[in-house]
DNA sequence: TCGGTCGTGAAGTTATCGGTCAAAAGCGAT
DNA sequence: ATCGCTTTTGACCGATAACTTCACGACCGA
């Protein structure tokens, strides 16, 4: 039930990279951390995890930084959640042989509801919302 | 993303009480703990929480034990999850002013998907499944 | 070669989880 | 009235994970 901030940080970071995806230039860690109020040293660890799952790429050196490994439309929130934690929605009940089948079925229904929703939201959709709604209701 | 076993224990316990709801007689803690493989001393804490939220009732003394406070059809999985944890699906992102609106919207969608599903499953439905499927596929 | 960037591991703090234990308090039956 | 059975309460503990910071190494481009 309780999500960690880590997954939220990850989604913010990928969103930040999605915004500047067309530019083609990588973005520095401190830059992203600064925009989204993420502890820089913590963000590094998160980005490394995202990199190991081929969601982002890194470049070292003077013009280094991070960029998306594929178009925003091909990355979903479910992908990020599965990368950072093992699953979108995980309960020990499903692995517990003592849990009655009926209850396991119920857990599975809830799990799939969350999973399907997360897999349906890709970062291109978020970008579209951002350009449409963001400019109108921005305070 | 990671659920605790506590909520699973709670659901098992309430399910156990639902099964014997029509009998009208309370069920002892150790009895429930034994059937569903729940540490008895841990189950006590869970039942007390459930009682404080008026989901179950208790009865002391020689013929004491626990029983449901209302019919199984009026108790949903969402009720249990909200009782044990604060919410069915909780992410710190929704309370973080630094989290962009677009991303908060996405979190809300996932949250509502899980919440609606959990609220749709009441214990009468589980009982119905139990009597229908349980007897056929029981090993 | 030098400055800036990522990469990595370690360390520490805090919180939560899962579980145990020992009494106290209340109720029913006899 | 008392006795046994049950819930009630609250304290406690070890392990694990979350979150964060730090220091230093590796690497690249100019």
């Amino acid at each position: 039930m309780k999500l960690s901030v880590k997954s939220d940080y990850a989604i913010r970071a990928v969103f930040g990279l999605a915004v500047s995806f067309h530019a083609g230039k990588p973005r520095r860690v401190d830059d992203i951390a600064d925009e989204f109020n993420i502890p820089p040293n913590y963000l590094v660890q998160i980005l490394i995890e995202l990199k190991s799952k081929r969601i982002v790429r890194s470049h070292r050196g003077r013009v280094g930084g991070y960029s998306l490994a594929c178009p925003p439309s091909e990355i979903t929130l479910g992908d990020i959640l599965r990368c950072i934690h093992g699953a979108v929605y995980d309960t020990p009940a499903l692995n517990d042989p003592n849990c009655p089948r009926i209850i396991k079925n119920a857990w599975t229904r809830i799990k799939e509801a969350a999973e399907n929703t997360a897999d349906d939201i890709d970062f291109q959709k978020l970008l579209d919302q951002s350009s449409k709604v963001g400019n109108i209701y921005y305070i």
Side-chain angles (χ1 to χ4, degrees), chain A residues 97-111:
Chain A
N98 290 320
C99 184
R101 288 174 305 289
I102 305 292
I103 296 179
K104 274 193 186 178
N105 290 345
W107 281 122
T108 302
R109 277 188 58 189
I110 299 175
K111 172 189 171 140

Side-chain angles (χ1 to χ4, degrees), chain A residues 6 11 14 32 40 65 68 75 96 103 111 123 127-128 130 137:
Chain A
K6 192 176 181 183
I11 289 176
V14 172
I32 304 171
L68 290 191
I75 307 175
D96 185 348
I103 296 179
K111 172 189 171 140
F123 281 86
L127 287 178
D128 294 345
S130 178
Y137 293 103

Side-chain angles (χ1 to χ4, degrees), chain A residues 42-107:
Chain A
Y42 194 28
L43 180 56
V44 168
Q45 298 177 26
I46 295 171
L47 285 169
I48 289 177
E49 282 187 67
L50 290 170
K51 184 192 171 191
S52 74
K53 293 289 188 356
R54 312 293 154 95
I55 294 174
V56 304
R57 268 194 242 280
S58 70
H59 302 278
R60 297 205 216 200
R62 185 112 182 74
V63 291
Y66 283 88
S67 56
L68 290 191
C70 46
S73 62
E74 294 178 16
I75 307 175
T76 70
L77 293 195
D79 293 330
I80 309 297
L81 294 178
R82 269 184 293 270
C83 173
I84 296 301
H85 313 109
V88 175
Y89 197 85
D90 187 25
T91 169
L94 293 175
N95 299 326
D96 185 348
N98 290 320
C99 184
R101 288 174 305 289
I102 305 292
I103 296 179
K104 274 193 186 178
N105 290 345
W107 281 122

